[in-house]
Amino acid sequence: MSTVAHSKKRKRDAEDAGKATITLSSQPANQVGPVLASFPSLEPPRSTAFKCYVQKGADKSVPFEAQPTIIAGEAETVEFFTADGPLSSAGCSYMIGVHDKRTNTTTLRPVPMHILTRQVKALKNLRPIEVSTEERMQQRNNLGETFGTKKAKAAIRARERNRVDIDAMKNVAGHLQDTIMQNTESLPTAEEAKAAADNSRLIPPYNADAQSPKDAYALHDIIPEAEFNALPVSIFKASKSDKDALSHLPSNRSDWLKLQLKLIYSAPKPNKTELKIVYYISTMMAFHRNSRNVGDKDALQQKLSGVPPIVLDGLLSRFTETERSTNKSKMTPQTETMLLTYMFALCLRQEDYAADVETLAHDLSMPPQKVINLFKSLGCVIKKLSPNELKERGLPDSAGETKRAVLKVPLEFPKTRVKRARR
């Protein structure tokens, strides 16, 4: 029994003798220590001395392996130096171990890893020969002619044929410049082009210098004075309430018109001008709804039976075009846009220049964005009114949740977007 136990103990001691103890270095972490270096292309002679430099102003209290250091040394003909500072990557670090045979202990210390590059001393002050674009292209063509495919050689010859001879163009450059100047003299200036664009807008005549919204679009530039005087007022005098007056309008299925009449009749005495504007807007809505019948004036007059003939003739003359083949009136996209912008200019006037966009879009069965774009073409901005603006217009606080088209002065129209040409 004792012999067996003694042999097991000796065997265990022999196994423990082959094991080493691993510990971390007890030196301060920021103390200068060993460095790992890698030479990817050329190894220096063993006698080459290297020095470690730290970046000026760097924090020397951080661990040595994290400090911004570089390694540099030089042999007889070649210089070696760190390419991009110590190599660092997340989750990876380098260590050097020193083994003490006496105590059978291995001490590990973190070290920085440097990738070194080289520079030949004899070539250090030499600058590369600059090659011009023409020389580079010539060399490329030579390679293509020697080793290229038939397709590549054909492309090289095509480029040579299409190349412009600059020396030959020197004699005609002056003539070309004179021709260009002569042809561009008739072109409008930027101010003239802007004025022409403003004058061709499909909106009512406007006052660009207006300092108040009420001066931007004159009433009789939208409704000619003769038509305005012909608008009936007797139907409103006979009406006892706003609901009764709504039934006499050419277009009486409108929430916007219903609200405007309610506001007018809430006053001690209804305003005659406002009643006429509401009647004319109602006529324009009915005219827009019956746009397919504008070619048959008699049928249109029956649809708008209460509208004075002079008003109907004015709408036909301003907001329709005559077809050459049939000599009948027709509403085109351009004239429809004019009809709507004229109508919306009156709506702005009626609503103290803050029109309810959503209600008008619903009444006209139009997408709200299209209505918004038309109001913007008049110089409006789309926003929600502040409490002070609601109070000035006599609107309830609940109206602050509705976006409105507010006319701003001086007038600013949307800029035309320039589309880039497709390549």
Side-chain angles (χ1 to χ4, degrees):
M1 290 291 291
S2 60
T3 305
V4 175
H6 181 70
S7 63
K8 286 184 177 180
K9 181 179 180 181
R10 184 167 49 194
K11 184 177 180 180
R12 187 164 53 249
D13 292 341
E15 291 178 354
D16 292 341
K19 296 181 179 179
T21 302
I22 297 177
T23 62
L24 293 176
S25 175
S26 60
Q27 295 179 344
N30 61 346
Q31 182 176 332
V32 178
V35 173
L36 279 178
S38 174
F39 301 88
S41 54
L42 179 65
E43 291 188 6
R46 289 182 177 274
S47 60
T48 305
F50 286 88
K51 291 184 179 181
C52 180
Y53 301 92
V54 66
Q55 184 179 345
K56 188 176 181 180
D59 185 6
K60 296 184 180 180
S61 62
V62 299
F64 174 65
E65 67 274 10
Q67 294 181 18
T69 55
I70 62 170
I71 303 299
E74 60 177 300
E76 185 177 352
T77 58
V78 182
E79 293 179 351
F80 298 91
F81 51 89
T82 304
D84 296 312
L87 186 64
S88 61
S89 60
C92 178
S93 60
Y94 298 91
M95 289 190 173
I96 288 180
V98 178
H99 182 69
D100 188 348
K101 292 183 180 180
R102 184 176 58 82
T103 60
N104 200 25
T105 302
T106 302
T107 303
L108 299 179
R109 176 188 171 98
V111 294
M113 176 65 176
H114 290 261
I115 307 297
L116 274 74
T117 186
R118 71 192 188 283
Q119 171 69 52
V120 179
K121 292 182 178 181
L123 304 178
K124 188 174 182 179
N125 296 324
L126 294 181
R127 295 183 179 180
I129 301 175
E130 295 183 1
V131 181
S132 65
T133 304
E134 186 176 353
E135 291 174 342
R136 188 180 295 107
M137 184 60 69
Q138 184 61 42
Q139 294 173 359
R140 182 178 177 182
N141 291 345
N142 293 339
L143 287 173
E145 290 288 354
T146 306
F147 302 103
T149 61
K150 290 183 179 180
K151 186 176 181 180
K153 293 178 180 179
I156 292 172
R157 288 191 288 270
R159 283 197 300 268
E160 290 293 331
R161 287 194 300 269
N162 295 330
R163 188 174 62 177
V164 177
D165 189 352
I166 299 176
D167 294 333
M169 293 293 294
K170 289 181 180 179
N171 298 327
V172 298
H175 176 70
L176 289 175
Q177 291 176 355
D178 294 339
T179 305
I180 292 172
M181 292 297 294
Q182 292 175 2
N183 293 333
T184 55
E185 286 179 354
S186 59
L187 293 177
T189 62
E191 292 77 8
E192 292 173 346
K194 182 179 182 300
D198 290 342
N199 292 331
S200 62
R201 296 182 185 277
L202 302 177
I203 60 175
Y206 59 90
N207 179 13
D209 300 324
Q211 299 300 317
S212 174
K214 65 180 181 181
D215 299 328
Y217 297 98
L219 175 61
H220 291 309
D221 286 338
I222 305 173
I223 311 175
E225 192 170 359
E227 296 179 27
F228 185 81
N229 295 331
L231 293 173
V233 185
S234 57
I235 59 173
F236 297 111
K237 291 182 179 180
S239 302
K240 297 180 180 180
S241 65
D242 56 295
K243 294 182 179 179
D244 190 16
L246 181 67
S247 62
H248 296 294
L249 294 180
S251 177
N252 50 27
R253 297 178 181 178
S254 168
D255 294 335
W256 187 89
L257 293 172
K258 186 185 301 183
L259 177 61
Q260 298 309 311
L261 286 175
K262 184 177 180 180
L263 294 173
I264 293 173
Y265 275 86
S266 64
K269 183 178 180 181
N271 187 291
K272 182 178 177 181
T273 300
E274 291 182 355
L275 288 172
K276 284 191 173 187
I277 292 175
V278 168
Y279 185 92
Y280 194 81
I281 293 174
S282 173
T283 303
M284 297 177 89
M285 287 183 174
F287 188 80
H288 181 262
R289 187 179 300 113
N290 293 278
S291 58
R292 295 182 179 180
N293 298 324
V294 295
D296 188 346
K297 185 177 179 181
D298 295 335
L300 184 64
Q301 186 70 66
Q302 290 180 359
K303 294 283 185 180
L304 284 70
S305 56
V307 178
I310 186 175
V311 174
L312 190 60
D313 290 341
L315 294 175
L316 288 170
S317 64
R318 290 192 299 278
F319 305 118
T320 62
E321 294 181 0
T322 303
E323 292 183 303
R324 293 182 180 179
S325 57
T326 61
N327 202 27
K328 290 185 177 181
S329 298
K330 178 183 178 181
M331 185 176 290
T332 64
Q334 289 77 18
T335 56
E336 181 187 12
T337 299
M338 285 188 63
L339 174 67
L340 292 171
T341 55
Y342 274 61
M343 182 196 307
F344 292 159
L346 290 175
C347 293
L348 286 168
R349 187 184 188 91
Q350 189 64 27
E351 290 196 271
D352 201 8
Y353 303 97
D356 186 347
V357 176
E358 295 180 1
T359 304
L360 286 170
H362 176 267
D363 291 349
L364 295 170
S365 301
M366 292 174 59
Q369 188 58 47
K370 184 176 181 180
V371 176
I372 287 174
N373 292 337
L374 290 172
F375 271 107
K376 286 182 177 180
S377 70
L378 290 167
C380 293
V381 295
I382 310 301
K383 68 171 189 176
K384 293 181 180 180
L385 297 182
S386 65
N388 291 335
E389 291 173 327
L390 291 172
K391 188 176 181 180
E392 290 175 359
R393 291 171 172 82
L395 297 174
D397 293 339
S398 58
E401 299 299 321
T402 304
K403 286 187 177 181
R404 292 178 175 267
V406 180
L407 187 64
K408 292 291 185 180
V409 290
L411 295 175
E412 291 185 8
F413 300 111
K415 295 181 180 179
T416 305
R417 294 183 179 179
V418 180
K419 295 183 178 180
R420 295 182 178 180
R422 294 182 179 179
R423 296 183 178 179

